[in-house]
Amino acid sequence: MAQLTQAVEKHTALYVEAFNAGDVDAVNAMYTEEAVAIWEPGKPLTGQARIDSVREFLAHGPRMTAVPRQTFVTGDTALLVVDWTIDTTDGDGNTEHLAGVGLDVLRRGTDGNWRYAIDEPYGQK
């Protein structure tokens, strides 16, 4: 199960840990129920489509690094600017290296834990 956190500065590291472990349930638990993910520019995913996309992507055994560059918090909302890389294989088995500067909006739930509300990995050029 996901290791959620009430410390926003720990969220990214916990996400990377679950992602690299291939733990689909833990990764998906780190998103709000209505979260939006834009893993392919111009194609936002929500609900079951987002959940299924995580399962499909993690099946390829990707490895991620991610380091928050900046964190801004106001009330129950946080914006993280994150430098990240992912090494994986594409559908044809070819090695693929992905990288970007993401903009992540997190929301603190009633349980005090932070979860992604918007996950935009290519948010900043």
Side-chain angles (χ1 to χ4, degrees):
M1 189 60 191
Q3 186 176 354
L4 300 174
T5 184
Q6 294 185 4
V8 73
E9 64 276 2
K10 294 181 181 179
H11 181 84
T12 300
L14 292 172
Y15 182 84
V16 169
E17 183 180 312
F19 185 97
N20 288 341
D23 190 336
V24 174
D25 293 335
V27 168
N28 278 319
M30 298 182 83
Y31 289 84
T32 64
E33 190 173 320
E34 68 282 355
V36 174
I38 307 97
W39 296 318
E40 188 175 341
K43 296 185 178 180
L45 297 173
T46 61
Q48 193 63 47
R50 185 195 54 76
I51 291 167
D52 292 344
S53 181
V54 169
R55 183 176 319 286
E56 181 180 316
F57 193 75
L58 292 184
H60 294 278
R63 300 294 297 170
M64 172 190 277
T65 64
V67 178
R69 181 189 295 186
Q70 294 179 295
T71 301
F72 305 97
V73 179
T74 180
D76 66 351
T77 304
L79 172 65
L80 279 61
V81 180
V82 180
D83 295 307
W84 63 270
T85 65
I86 295 176
D87 291 301
T88 189
T89 54
D90 64 18
D92 297 325
N94 300 311
T95 301
E96 188 173 25
H97 179 77
L98 307 169
V101 179
L103 297 178
D104 298 326
V105 177
L106 280 64
R107 187 169 42 226
R108 185 174 26 227
T110 56
D111 62 359
N113 292 312
W114 291 95
R115 292 176 180 84
Y116 291 106
I118 302 171
D119 182 358
E120 171 42 302
Y122 297 104
Q124 188 170 355
K125 303 277 182 218

